[in-house]
Amino acid sequence: MKIPILFTAQPTAATLALHELQNALPGTRMERWITPGVGLAQASGDWRTLAGTLLQNPPIFLRHLCPAPIHIPLEL
């Protein structure tokens, strides 16, 4: 099962935050950077497993994390 995840980090530490996310849930892959420090990834597994893993081993560089099951394209 794949779950889209939005995550944030300091722009200078964004790659390190992505690695923390990938270590917490192996198989997670980066979709794209939305802005510097804000990324969208596809996690392999489920939200509860990811949240539980991060609660047991708190990340250092990852600031915010939320599931993003709905994708609505915006045009400017």
Side-chain angles (χ1 to χ4, degrees):
M1 174 180 185
K2 295 277 186 184
I3 181 169
I5 302 278
L6 279 172
F7 67 97
T8 67
Q10 272 294 91
T12 56
T15 302
L16 295 169
L18 174 60
H19 290 301
E20 286 181 329
L21 188 57
Q22 291 170 327
N23 287 335
L25 215 78
T28 297
R29 66 179 174 80
M30 183 66 178
E31 284 289 315
R32 65 186 172 104
W33 292 105
I34 296 170
T35 64
V38 179
L40 176 65
Q42 290 287 328
S44 298
D46 62 74
W47 178 251
R48 287 183 189 262
T49 301
L50 176 60
T53 300
L54 292 173
L55 284 172
Q56 290 176 359
N57 300 304
I60 296 169
F61 302 103
L62 196 57
R63 280 188 171 176
H64 305 97
L65 184 72
C66 69
I70 298 171
H71 177 216
I72 301 171
L74 299 176
E75 293 185 33
L76 300 175

PDB file of all heavy atoms in Angstrom, residues 10-43:
ATOM      1  N   GLN A  10      13.900  22.281   7.358  1.00  0.00           N
ATOM      2  CA  GLN A  10      14.682  23.450   6.967  1.00  0.00           C
ATOM      3  C   GLN A  10      15.162  23.179   5.541  1.00  0.00           C
ATOM      4  O   GLN A  10      15.617  22.076   5.253  1.00  0.00           O
ATOM      5  CB  GLN A  10      15.916  23.596   7.861  1.00  0.00           C
ATOM      6  CG  GLN A  10      15.727  24.385   9.117  1.00  0.00           C
ATOM      7  CD  GLN A  10      15.449  25.830   8.830  1.00  0.00           C
ATOM      8  OE1 GLN A  10      14.306  26.211   8.705  1.00  0.00           O
ATOM      9  NE2 GLN A  10      16.463  26.644   8.740  1.00  0.00           N
ATOM     10  N   PRO A  11      15.087  24.143   4.645  1.00  0.00           N
ATOM     11  CA  PRO A  11      15.543  23.895   3.272  1.00  0.00           C
ATOM     12  C   PRO A  11      16.966  23.339   3.188  1.00  0.00           C
ATOM     13  O   PRO A  11      17.245  22.490   2.347  1.00  0.00           O
ATOM     14  CB  PRO A  11      15.443  25.271   2.609  1.00  0.00           C
ATOM     15  CG  PRO A  11      14.326  25.938   3.337  1.00  0.00           C
ATOM     16  CD  PRO A  11      14.475  25.480   4.773  1.00  0.00           C
ATOM     17  N   THR A  12      17.844  23.774   4.080  1.00  0.00           N
ATOM     18  CA  THR A  12      19.227  23.285   4.050  1.00  0.00           C
ATOM     19  C   THR A  12      19.362  21.851   4.563  1.00  0.00           C
ATOM     20  O   THR A  12      20.391  21.220   4.352  1.00  0.00           O
ATOM     21  CB  THR A  12      20.146  24.205   4.877  1.00  0.00           C
ATOM     22  OG1 THR A  12      19.618  24.289   6.210  1.00  0.00           O
ATOM     23  CG2 THR A  12      20.240  25.582   4.256  1.00  0.00           C
ATOM     24  N   ALA A  13      18.323  21.343   5.232  1.00  0.00           N
ATOM     25  CA  ALA A  13      18.362  19.986   5.779  1.00  0.00           C
ATOM     26  C   ALA A  13      17.288  19.092   5.162  1.00  0.00           C
ATOM     27  O   ALA A  13      17.014  18.010   5.677  1.00  0.00           O
ATOM     28  CB  ALA A  13      18.200  20.029   7.291  1.00  0.00           C
ATOM     29  N   ALA A  14      16.692  19.519   4.059  1.00  0.00           N
ATOM     30  CA  ALA A  14      15.578  18.781   3.463  1.00  0.00           C
ATOM     31  C   ALA A  14      15.972  17.372   3.026  1.00  0.00           C
ATOM     32  O   ALA A  14      15.219  16.421   3.228  1.00  0.00           O
ATOM     33  CB  ALA A  14      15.006  19.568   2.286  1.00  0.00           C
ATOM     34  N   THR A  15      17.149  17.228   2.457  1.00  0.00           N
ATOM     35  CA  THR A  15      17.598  15.899   2.026  1.00  0.00           C
ATOM     36  C   THR A  15      17.803  14.984   3.226  1.00  0.00           C
ATOM     37  O   THR A  15      17.464  13.796   3.168  1.00  0.00           O
ATOM     38  CB  THR A  15      18.894  16.013   1.201  1.00  0.00           C
ATOM     39  OG1 THR A  15      18.634  16.873   0.085  1.00  0.00           O
ATOM     40  CG2 THR A  15      19.330  14.664   0.679  1.00  0.00           C
ATOM     41  N   LEU A  16      18.307  15.522   4.308  1.00  0.00           N
ATOM     42  CA  LEU A  16      18.485  14.722   5.527  1.00  0.00           C
ATOM     43  C   LEU A  16      17.128  14.297   6.088  1.00  0.00           C
ATOM     44  O   LEU A  16      16.968  13.170   6.557  1.00  0.00           O
ATOM     45  CB  LEU A  16      19.273  15.510   6.566  1.00  0.00           C
ATOM     46  CG  LEU A  16      20.720  15.829   6.190  1.00  0.00           C
ATOM     47  CD1 LEU A  16      21.322  16.824   7.163  1.00  0.00           C
ATOM     48  CD2 LEU A  16      21.546  14.564   6.122  1.00  0.00           C
ATOM     49  N   ALA A  17      16.141  15.178   6.024  1.00  0.00           N
ATOM     50  CA  ALA A  17      14.791  14.836   6.483  1.00  0.00           C
ATOM     51  C   ALA A  17      14.202  13.722   5.616  1.00  0.00           C
ATOM     52  O   ALA A  17      13.563  12.802   6.134  1.00  0.00           O
ATOM     53  CB  ALA A  17      13.897  16.071   6.447  1.00  0.00           C
ATOM     54  N   LEU A  18      14.424  13.797   4.316  1.00  0.00           N
ATOM     55  CA  LEU A  18      13.952  12.737   3.420  1.00  0.00           C
ATOM     56  C   LEU A  18      14.593  11.406   3.792  1.00  0.00           C
ATOM     57  O   LEU A  18      13.908  10.385   3.842  1.00  0.00           O
ATOM     58  CB  LEU A  18      14.258  13.091   1.963  1.00  0.00           C
ATOM     59  CG  LEU A  18      13.940  12.009   0.937  1.00  0.00           C
ATOM     60  CD1 LEU A  18      12.461  11.645   0.954  1.00  0.00           C
ATOM     61  CD2 LEU A  18      14.376  12.453  -0.456  1.00  0.00           C
ATOM     62  N   HIS A  19      15.876  11.405   4.094  1.00  0.00           N
ATOM     63  CA  HIS A  19      16.548  10.167   4.505  1.00  0.00           C
ATOM     64  C   HIS A  19      15.970   9.629   5.812  1.00  0.00           C
ATOM     65  O   HIS A  19      15.827   8.413   5.972  1.00  0.00           O
ATOM     66  CB  HIS A  19      18.054  10.376   4.622  1.00  0.00           C
ATOM     67  CG  HIS A  19      18.727  10.568   3.302  1.00  0.00           C
ATOM     68  ND1 HIS A  19      18.693   9.645   2.288  1.00  0.00           N
ATOM     69  CD2 HIS A  19      19.435  11.616   2.828  1.00  0.00           C
ATOM     70  CE1 HIS A  19      19.354  10.096   1.244  1.00  0.00           C
ATOM     71  NE2 HIS A  19      19.810  11.297   1.538  1.00  0.00           N
ATOM     72  N   GLU A  20      15.623  10.516   6.740  1.00  0.00           N
ATOM     73  CA  GLU A  20      14.985  10.069   7.983  1.00  0.00           C
ATOM     74  C   GLU A  20      13.661   9.384   7.688  1.00  0.00           C
ATOM     75  O   GLU A  20      13.349   8.337   8.262  1.00  0.00           O
ATOM     76  CB  GLU A  20      14.731  11.248   8.917  1.00  0.00           C
ATOM     77  CG  GLU A  20      15.954  11.776   9.590  1.00  0.00           C
ATOM     78  CD  GLU A  20      15.668  12.925  10.518  1.00  0.00           C
ATOM     79  OE1 GLU A  20      14.728  13.711  10.282  1.00  0.00           O
ATOM     80  OE2 GLU A  20      16.406  13.056  11.512  1.00  0.00           O
ATOM     81  N   LEU A  21      12.889   9.968   6.786  1.00  0.00           N
ATOM     82  CA  LEU A  21      11.608   9.389   6.399  1.00  0.00           C
ATOM     83  C   LEU A  21      11.819   8.031   5.734  1.00  0.00           C
ATOM     84  O   LEU A  21      11.121   7.060   6.036  1.00  0.00           O
ATOM     85  CB  LEU A  21      10.887  10.358   5.458  1.00  0.00           C
ATOM     86  CG  LEU A  21       9.459  10.060   5.071  1.00  0.00           C
ATOM     87  CD1 LEU A  21       8.567   9.928   6.287  1.00  0.00           C
ATOM     88  CD2 LEU A  21       8.933  11.165   4.156  1.00  0.00           C
ATOM     89  N   GLN A  22      12.806   7.928   4.859  1.00  0.00           N
ATOM     90  CA  GLN A  22      13.089   6.673   4.166  1.00  0.00           C
ATOM     91  C   GLN A  22      13.611   5.608   5.130  1.00  0.00           C
ATOM     92  O   GLN A  22      13.316   4.425   4.960  1.00  0.00           O
ATOM     93  CB  GLN A  22      14.083   6.905   3.031  1.00  0.00           C
ATOM     94  CG  GLN A  22      13.476   7.701   1.897  1.00  0.00           C
ATOM     95  CD  GLN A  22      14.470   8.162   0.868  1.00  0.00           C
ATOM     96  OE1 GLN A  22      15.628   8.455   1.187  1.00  0.00           O
ATOM     97  NE2 GLN A  22      14.031   8.237  -0.380  1.00  0.00           N
ATOM     98  N   ASN A  23      14.355   6.008   6.144  1.00  0.00           N
ATOM     99  CA  ASN A  23      14.829   5.045   7.144  1.00  0.00           C
ATOM    100  C   ASN A  23      13.687   4.551   8.020  1.00  0.00           C
ATOM    101  O   ASN A  23      13.667   3.396   8.429  1.00  0.00           O
ATOM    102  CB  ASN A  23      15.930   5.657   8.015  1.00  0.00           C
ATOM    103  CG  ASN A  23      17.235   5.795   7.272  1.00  0.00           C
ATOM    104  OD1 ASN A  23      17.502   5.079   6.316  1.00  0.00           O
ATOM    105  ND2 ASN A  23      18.054   6.734   7.702  1.00  0.00           N
ATOM    106  N   ALA A  24      12.737   5.442   8.327  1.00  0.00           N
ATOM    107  CA  ALA A  24      11.597   5.061   9.163  1.00  0.00           C
ATOM    108  C   ALA A  24      10.679   4.089   8.426  1.00  0.00           C
ATOM    109  O   ALA A  24      10.100   3.198   9.036  1.00  0.00           O
ATOM    110  CB  ALA A  24      10.816   6.300   9.601  1.00  0.00           C
ATOM    111  N   LEU A  25      10.542   4.266   7.132  1.00  0.00           N
ATOM    112  CA  LEU A  25       9.669   3.409   6.331  1.00  0.00           C
ATOM    113  C   LEU A  25      10.395   3.064   5.028  1.00  0.00           C
ATOM    114  O   LEU A  25      10.264   3.773   4.028  1.00  0.00           O
ATOM    115  CB  LEU A  25       8.349   4.128   6.034  1.00  0.00           C
ATOM    116  CG  LEU A  25       7.143   3.209   6.004  1.00  0.00           C
ATOM    117  CD1 LEU A  25       6.726   2.872   7.437  1.00  0.00           C
ATOM    118  CD2 LEU A  25       5.996   3.866   5.320  1.00  0.00           C
ATOM    119  N   PRO A  26      11.201   1.995   5.043  1.00  0.00           N
ATOM    120  CA  PRO A  26      11.932   1.609   3.836  1.00  0.00           C
ATOM    121  C   PRO A  26      10.982   1.444   2.646  1.00  0.00           C
ATOM    122  O   PRO A  26       9.855   0.997   2.793  1.00  0.00           O
ATOM    123  CB  PRO A  26      12.573   0.271   4.220  1.00  0.00           C
ATOM    124  CG  PRO A  26      12.699   0.345   5.710  1.00  0.00           C
ATOM    125  CD  PRO A  26      11.476   1.109   6.170  1.00  0.00           C
ATOM    126  N   GLY A  27      11.448   1.845   1.495  1.00  0.00           N
ATOM    127  CA  GLY A  27      10.635   1.790   0.293  1.00  0.00           C
ATOM    128  C   GLY A  27       9.975   3.120  -0.034  1.00  0.00           C
ATOM    129  O   GLY A  27       9.366   3.276  -1.079  1.00  0.00           O
ATOM    130  N   THR A  28      10.115   4.095   0.871  1.00  0.00           N
ATOM    131  CA  THR A  28       9.559   5.423   0.620  1.00  0.00           C
ATOM    132  C   THR A  28      10.375   6.086  -0.476  1.00  0.00           C
ATOM    133  O   THR A  28      11.596   6.031  -0.467  1.00  0.00           O
ATOM    134  CB  THR A  28       9.608   6.275   1.907  1.00  0.00           C
ATOM    135  OG1 THR A  28       8.784   5.646   2.886  1.00  0.00           O
ATOM    136  CG2 THR A  28       9.121   7.683   1.662  1.00  0.00           C
ATOM    137  N   ARG A  29       9.680   6.693  -1.432  1.00  0.00           N
ATOM    138  CA  ARG A  29      10.403   7.372  -2.507  1.00  0.00           C
ATOM    139  C   ARG A  29       9.905   8.800  -2.665  1.00  0.00           C
ATOM    140  O   ARG A  29       8.743   9.099  -2.432  1.00  0.00           O
ATOM    141  CB  ARG A  29      10.299   6.608  -3.821  1.00  0.00           C
ATOM    142  CG  ARG A  29       8.938   6.529  -4.409  1.00  0.00           C
ATOM    143  CD  ARG A  29       8.946   5.759  -5.744  1.00  0.00           C
ATOM    144  NE  ARG A  29       7.607   5.575  -6.240  1.00  0.00           N
ATOM    145  CZ  ARG A  29       6.903   6.490  -6.877  1.00  0.00           C
ATOM    146  NH1 ARG A  29       7.422   7.669  -7.121  1.00  0.00           N
ATOM    147  NH2 ARG A  29       5.682   6.247  -7.297  1.00  0.00           N
ATOM    148  N   MET A  30      10.811   9.646  -3.062  1.00  0.00           N
ATOM    149  CA  MET A  30      10.516  11.059  -3.259  1.00  0.00           C
ATOM    150  C   MET A  30       9.727  11.248  -4.538  1.00  0.00           C
ATOM    151  O   MET A  30      10.082  10.704  -5.568  1.00  0.00           O
ATOM    152  CB  MET A  30      11.833  11.830  -3.319  1.00  0.00           C
ATOM    153  CG  MET A  30      11.687  13.295  -3.438  1.00  0.00           C
ATOM    154  SD  MET A  30      10.936  13.924  -1.946  1.00  0.00           S
ATOM    155  CE  MET A  30      10.926  15.640  -2.299  1.00  0.00           C
ATOM    156  N   GLU A  31       8.637  12.011  -4.460  1.00  0.00           N
ATOM    157  CA  GLU A  31       7.874  12.371  -5.652  1.00  0.00           C
ATOM    158  C   GLU A  31       8.431  13.670  -6.231  1.00  0.00           C
ATOM    159  O   GLU A  31       8.806  13.717  -7.382  1.00  0.00           O
ATOM    160  CB  GLU A  31       6.394  12.557  -5.307  1.00  0.00           C
ATOM    161  CG  GLU A  31       5.648  11.262  -5.089  1.00  0.00           C
ATOM    162  CD  GLU A  31       5.446  10.486  -6.371  1.00  0.00           C
ATOM    163  OE1 GLU A  31       5.060  11.079  -7.400  1.00  0.00           O
ATOM    164  OE2 GLU A  31       5.689   9.267  -6.345  1.00  0.00           O
ATOM    165  N   ARG A  32       8.413  14.729  -5.393  1.00  0.00           N
ATOM    166  CA  ARG A  32       8.940  16.018  -5.847  1.00  0.00           C
ATOM    167  C   ARG A  32       9.026  16.986  -4.676  1.00  0.00           C
ATOM    168  O   ARG A  32       8.386  16.809  -3.652  1.00  0.00           O
ATOM    169  CB  ARG A  32       8.073  16.620  -6.945  1.00  0.00           C
ATOM    170  CG  ARG A  32       6.683  16.999  -6.499  1.00  0.00           C
ATOM    171  CD  ARG A  32       5.840  17.446  -7.704  1.00  0.00           C
ATOM    172  NE  ARG A  32       4.471  17.636  -7.308  1.00  0.00           N
ATOM    173  CZ  ARG A  32       3.909  18.819  -7.129  1.00  0.00           C
ATOM    174  NH1 ARG A  32       4.589  19.923  -7.321  1.00  0.00           N
ATOM    175  NH2 ARG A  32       2.655  18.915  -6.770  1.00  0.00           N
ATOM    176  N   TRP A  33       9.828  18.016  -4.875  1.00  0.00           N
ATOM    177  CA  TRP A  33       9.902  19.121  -3.926  1.00  0.00           C
ATOM    178  C   TRP A  33       8.863  20.134  -4.368  1.00  0.00           C
ATOM    179  O   TRP A  33       8.849  20.558  -5.520  1.00  0.00           O
ATOM    180  CB  TRP A  33      11.292  19.739  -3.899  1.00  0.00           C
ATOM    181  CG  TRP A  33      12.312  18.807  -3.330  1.00  0.00           C
ATOM    182  CD1 TRP A  33      13.262  18.114  -4.016  1.00  0.00           C
ATOM    183  CD2 TRP A  33      12.457  18.436  -1.967  1.00  0.00           C
ATOM    184  NE1 TRP A  33      13.996  17.331  -3.165  1.00  0.00           N
ATOM    185  CE2 TRP A  33      13.512  17.506  -1.891  1.00  0.00           C
ATOM    186  CE3 TRP A  33      11.796  18.783  -0.792  1.00  0.00           C
ATOM    187  CZ2 TRP A  33      13.935  16.937  -0.691  1.00  0.00           C
ATOM    188  CZ3 TRP A  33      12.215  18.207   0.400  1.00  0.00           C
ATOM    189  CH2 TRP A  33      13.271  17.306   0.441  1.00  0.00           C
ATOM    190  N   ILE A  34       7.985  20.524  -3.469  1.00  0.00           N
ATOM    191  CA  ILE A  34       6.934  21.491  -3.771  1.00  0.00           C
ATOM    192  C   ILE A  34       7.519  22.902  -3.701  1.00  0.00           C
ATOM    193  O   ILE A  34       7.292  23.720  -4.586  1.00  0.00           O
ATOM    194  CB  ILE A  34       5.742  21.311  -2.823  1.00  0.00           C
ATOM    195  CG1 ILE A  34       5.137  19.917  -3.072  1.00  0.00           C
ATOM    196  CG2 ILE A  34       4.719  22.413  -3.007  1.00  0.00           C
ATOM    197  CD1 ILE A  34       4.120  19.491  -2.073  1.00  0.00           C
ATOM    198  N   THR A  35       8.238  23.184  -2.652  1.00  0.00           N
ATOM    199  CA  THR A  35       9.031  24.407  -2.486  1.00  0.00           C
ATOM    200  C   THR A  35      10.253  23.987  -1.684  1.00  0.00           C
ATOM    201  O   THR A  35      10.291  22.879  -1.151  1.00  0.00           O
ATOM    202  CB  THR A  35       8.257  25.516  -1.718  1.00  0.00           C
ATOM    203  OG1 THR A  35       8.002  25.067  -0.389  1.00  0.00           O
ATOM    204  CG2 THR A  35       6.965  25.885  -2.388  1.00  0.00           C
ATOM    205  N   PRO A  36      11.261  24.840  -1.554  1.00  0.00           N
ATOM    206  CA  PRO A  36      12.408  24.455  -0.729  1.00  0.00           C
ATOM    207  C   PRO A  36      11.963  24.091   0.695  1.00  0.00           C
ATOM    208  O   PRO A  36      11.291  24.874   1.360  1.00  0.00           O
ATOM    209  CB  PRO A  36      13.302  25.690  -0.738  1.00  0.00           C
ATOM    210  CG  PRO A  36      12.960  26.371  -2.029  1.00  0.00           C
ATOM    211  CD  PRO A  36      11.475  26.135  -2.197  1.00  0.00           C
ATOM    212  N   GLY A  37      12.273  22.876   1.100  1.00  0.00           N
ATOM    213  CA  GLY A  37      11.933  22.420   2.443  1.00  0.00           C
ATOM    214  C   GLY A  37      10.572  21.768   2.575  1.00  0.00           C
ATOM    215  O   GLY A  37      10.207  21.320   3.659  1.00  0.00           O
ATOM    216  N   VAL A  38       9.801  21.689   1.497  1.00  0.00           N
ATOM    217  CA  VAL A  38       8.489  21.029   1.524  1.00  0.00           C
ATOM    218  C   VAL A  38       8.479  19.975   0.431  1.00  0.00           C
ATOM    219  O   VAL A  38       8.625  20.293  -0.755  1.00  0.00           O
ATOM    220  CB  VAL A  38       7.323  22.020   1.306  1.00  0.00           C
ATOM    221  CG1 VAL A  38       5.988  21.287   1.322  1.00  0.00           C
ATOM    222  CG2 VAL A  38       7.349  23.114   2.349  1.00  0.00           C
ATOM    223  N   GLY A  39       8.318  18.722   0.843  1.00  0.00           N
ATOM    224  CA  GLY A  39       8.372  17.628  -0.118  1.00  0.00           C
ATOM    225  C   GLY A  39       7.132  16.762  -0.104  1.00  0.00           C
ATOM    226  O   GLY A  39       6.377  16.735   0.865  1.00  0.00           O
ATOM    227  N   LEU A  40       6.963  16.053  -1.212  1.00  0.00           N
ATOM    228  CA  LEU A  40       5.901  15.059  -1.346  1.00  0.00           C
ATOM    229  C   LEU A  40       6.574  13.737  -1.632  1.00  0.00           C
ATOM    230  O   LEU A  40       7.387  13.629  -2.558  1.00  0.00           O
ATOM    231  CB  LEU A  40       4.945  15.437  -2.487  1.00  0.00           C
ATOM    232  CG  LEU A  40       3.836  14.441  -2.796  1.00  0.00           C
ATOM    233  CD1 LEU A  40       2.877  14.323  -1.606  1.00  0.00           C
ATOM    234  CD2 LEU A  40       3.078  14.861  -4.048  1.00  0.00           C
ATOM    235  N   ALA A  41       6.267  12.738  -0.817  1.00  0.00           N
ATOM    236  CA  ALA A  41       6.857  11.414  -0.984  1.00  0.00           C
ATOM    237  C   ALA A  41       5.758  10.363  -1.011  1.00  0.00           C
ATOM    238  O   ALA A  41       4.639  10.612  -0.546  1.00  0.00           O
ATOM    239  CB  ALA A  41       7.831  11.129   0.163  1.00  0.00           C
ATOM    240  N   GLN A  42       6.076   9.203  -1.550  1.00  0.00           N
ATOM    241  CA  GLN A  42       5.179   8.053  -1.531  1.00  0.00           C
ATOM    242  C   GLN A  42       5.780   7.047  -0.561  1.00  0.00           C
ATOM    243  O   GLN A  42       6.892   6.564  -0.778  1.00  0.00           O
ATOM    244  CB  GLN A  42       5.069   7.415  -2.932  1.00  0.00           C
ATOM    245  CG  GLN A  42       4.321   8.240  -3.928  1.00  0.00           C
ATOM    246  CD  GLN A  42       2.821   8.255  -3.656  1.00  0.00           C
ATOM    247  OE1 GLN A  42       2.257   7.294  -3.168  1.00  0.00           O
ATOM    248  NE2 GLN A  42       2.191   9.370  -3.970  1.00  0.00           N
ATOM    249  N   ALA A  43       5.063   6.765   0.511  1.00  0.00           N
ATOM    250  CA  ALA A  43       5.548   5.829   1.528  1.00  0.00           C
ATOM    251  C   ALA A  43       4.963   4.450   1.276  1.00  0.00           C
ATOM    252  O   ALA A  43       3.799   4.317   0.919  1.00  0.00           O
ATOM    253  CB  ALA A  43       5.168   6.312   2.917  1.00  0.00           C
TER     254      ALA A  43
END
